[in-house]
Amino acid sequence: MAKLIPSVIKMRGSIYDVTIVRSKRYKPHARARRGTYTPVSINADLEQSKEQLLSSNKPAKLIFDAVRTEHKDGGLWTDLLAVFRKQLKEDKGFSLKGLLKLECSRLYSLDKILHHQFSIKTDTKRKKMQVTVQLQQHPEWKKQGFLDGYQLSITVVFPDFKKDRFRKETLRAPIVSFKDELKPFHFEVPMPATTAPWILFLGVAGAEKGKASDVPTTKGMAVVSVSRE
């Protein structure tokens, strides 16, 4: 790359196509913009990585847009992109199975609240999904002593990657007190079609005096089940 060495340079920055550089090794000098004299070539691996990123963006954005209003992003976008980029790199096609246990927030995760102490059952018939959630223990929050209960919710996303669109259903259970007996939660979700692919998110929000909180530190949400492929 062309290099111009002025007699005295006491400044930094760019002037038209010339950049002023202060270097300990080469002393102060001015450099022409990259590619001015020699064409810049893009590495083949870099170009491929760019194409993979663009291809992974579509399914990731579809799912992210579906749940972004249900839970404030805390790393979900980056993690979704990583899942689909990995699948694309392995040339296995996009699979919903890679989303299992995906947390909507790395810091405030569902796992830290429920500690895997729950079970999920799903049954799809006649364009309806029956979802049963059974907790083995009430949710636990550290340093959230003001909470006296919680609200469980499910969000089911039906993605259509070919048409680049989705359908979403969110259902919330009544608020439960920590003093209440543990009972199963039942949800019935309408489906666009019995065979439609789906992603099931389980969410929980802490509650105080019968009102669910919307503070990120008292919420958790993650993918707990997906349809068979």
Side-chain angles (χ1 to χ4, degrees):
M1 183 176 292
K3 181 170 69 173
L4 307 174
I5 305 179
S7 57
V8 179
I9 297 180
K10 296 182 180 180
M11 57 187 297
R12 295 181 183 180
S14 298
I15 302 176
Y16 296 102
D17 289 338
V18 176
T19 299
I20 308 302
V21 182
R22 299 190 68 179
S23 169
K24 291 183 179 179
R25 182 174 182 179
Y26 297 109
K27 305 304 179 181
H29 62 275
R31 287 188 179 276
R33 184 180 60 183
R34 187 184 180 201
T36 301
Y37 303 107
T38 304
V40 179
S41 60
I42 300 177
N43 183 279
D45 292 336
L46 183 61
E47 186 65 32
Q48 183 180 13
S49 178
K50 177 183 176 182
E51 291 179 1
Q52 288 180 342
L53 180 62
L54 292 175
S55 299
S56 305
N57 271 356
K58 285 188 71 175
K61 187 176 186 302
L62 199 69
I63 298 170
F64 179 75
D65 287 345
V67 298
R68 65 188 306 175
T69 58
E70 302 299 329
H71 197 285
K72 295 180 180 178
D73 178 41
L76 177 60
W77 168 249
T78 304
D79 293 341
L80 276 169
L81 202 57
V83 168
F84 289 117
R85 285 198 73 186
K86 180 180 178 182
Q87 292 180 356
L88 190 63
K89 187 176 182 180
E90 294 174 351
D91 197 24
K92 296 180 179 179
F94 294 132
S95 172
L96 299 182
K97 292 181 181 179
L99 301 175
L100 280 172
K101 298 182 180 181
L102 182 70
E103 294 280 357
C104 289
S105 173
R106 298 173 185 174
L107 189 58
Y108 308 116
S109 66
L110 184 71
D111 179 46
K112 291 180 180 179
I113 301 172
L114 297 183
H115 307 287
H116 289 296
Q117 299 301 308
F118 66 92
S119 62
I120 297 282
K121 291 183 179 180
T122 60
D123 186 25
T124 56
K125 291 180 180 178
R126 300 176 182 177
K127 295 178 67 174
K128 289 185 179 180
M129 177 188 293
Q130 304 294 334
V131 180
T132 301
V133 183
Q134 176 66 66
L135 302 183
Q136 274 76 56
Q137 65 179 46
H138 288 305
E140 294 180 345
W141 281 271
K142 293 182 179 180
K143 300 179 181 180
Q144 303 294 339
F146 62 92
L147 299 176
D148 53 25
Y150 58 95
Q151 184 178 48
L152 216 64
S153 66
I154 64 167
T155 295
V156 186
V157 179
F158 302 95
D160 187 335
F161 296 124
K162 291 183 179 179
K163 296 183 179 180
D164 194 27
R165 65 187 185 186
F166 66 85
R167 175 173 161 180
K168 179 187 74 171
E169 300 288 345
T170 296
L171 300 175
R172 306 184 195 282
I175 291 177
V176 177
S177 170
F178 290 139
K179 297 179 181 180
D180 292 342
E181 180 184 353
L182 287 171
K183 295 180 180 180
F185 295 86
H186 297 287
F187 303 91
E188 184 177 273
V189 184
M191 305 178 67
T194 304
T195 57
W198 49 266
I199 307 163
L200 174 59
F201 290 81
L202 176 64
V204 62
E208 180 183 14
K209 297 180 180 179
K211 185 177 181 180
S213 172
D214 194 36
V215 180
T217 56
T218 63
K219 299 177 67 177
M221 185 173 171
V223 177
V224 293
S225 186
V226 297
S227 58
R228 294 180 180 180
E229 299 171 325

